[in-house]
Amino acid sequence: MLTQLDRVRGSPLIRTFLILAALVVSGIGFARLTQKGVEVSGGRLAEITETSENERIPAKIYLSLSRPVGFLELKIGDEKIGLTRAEQWDFVGTAAIDFSRPIVTLNTMTGDPKKTGVARMFAKMVVEAEGKETFTHVFDSDGDIDDFVELPF
C-alpha cells in the first residue's frame, strides 16, 4: 500500500519525462534568445544590419606618450599604422579599421629607467572613426608597453 509521501513524489518515469520536457523547452528558449539576424523592436521583428567582414572605416589616430621611446609600433588588426610626429611626444596617423579585427596593439621600448629616472610609461590613444563615437584609451605600464585593446565598433 502506498503511503501519502509516495503519492506526492510520483513515479520515476513521470519525473524523468517532466525533467526532459523542461530541458527541451529551456533549450528552445535559449536558442531563440541567442539567435542572430533578427531583433525584437517595438513588438515587431526588424532585420539587424550587420557589416560585412571586408568593410573598413577610415579613422584618424592620435597617440600621446608620457616620455620618449626608442621603439614604437601601433597595429590595428594585422595592419601596422604609420605614425608621424606632431609634437614632442605626440604622433598622428590614419588607418582603415577592419570590423572583423578591431584589435589595437601598442608596443613601445624605452631606454633604461635608471638612466631616464622614470619607470612608469603612459600612452593616450584617441581614435576618431568616420561615423562612430570617438574612442579614447590610456595604456599604462611599469616599463615598456606591450598591450592591446578592442575597439567598440
Side-chain angles (χ1 to χ4, degrees):
M1 178 181 272
L2 293 175
T3 65
Q4 196 71 337
L5 183 60
D6 289 333
R7 287 186 194 143
V8 172
R9 288 184 188 163
S11 74
L13 185 60
I14 292 174
R15 280 185 291 178
T16 304
F17 176 73
L18 290 175
I19 290 172
L20 286 175
L23 287 173
V24 168
V25 170
S26 297
I28 291 170
F30 285 126
R32 287 190 178 188
L33 284 174
T34 59
Q35 174 182 344
K36 285 188 175 183
V38 293
E39 178 180 281
V40 177
S41 174
R44 291 183 273 160
L45 292 177
E47 291 292 324
I48 295 177
T49 56
E50 292 193 27
T51 58
S52 68
E53 288 187 15
N54 296 332
E55 186 175 349
R56 293 178 174 261
I57 300 174
K60 193 154 192 166
I61 290 119
Y62 302 93
L63 188 66
S64 298
L65 303 176
S66 62
R67 62 182 168 145
V69 294
F71 172 76
L72 172 66
E73 182 179 68
L74 182 71
K75 287 184 177 182
I76 297 181
D78 293 327
E79 180 184 345
K80 186 176 176 182
I81 307 302
L83 296 170
T84 57
R85 188 180 302 267
E87 290 185 26
Q88 186 177 8
W89 300 325
D90 295 338
F91 297 87
V92 178
T94 58
I97 299 170
D98 186 358
F99 276 117
S100 65
R101 297 206 23 100
I103 306 293
V104 177
T105 307
L106 178 64
N107 292 312
T108 65
M109 292 169 105
T110 59
D112 185 11
K114 293 177 185 174
K115 291 180 184 176
T116 60
V118 181
R120 198 130 196 100
M121 176 74 180
F122 301 96
K124 178 182 176 185
M125 178 186 68
V126 177
V127 178
E128 293 178 349
E130 191 174 289
K132 302 292 181 182
E133 192 171 317
T134 301
F135 176 76
T136 303
H137 181 75
V138 176
F139 296 95
D140 178 17
S141 177
D142 286 333
D144 297 337
I145 296 175
D146 184 12
D147 202 359
F148 69 94
V149 65
E150 183 173 357
L151 296 172
F153 308 145

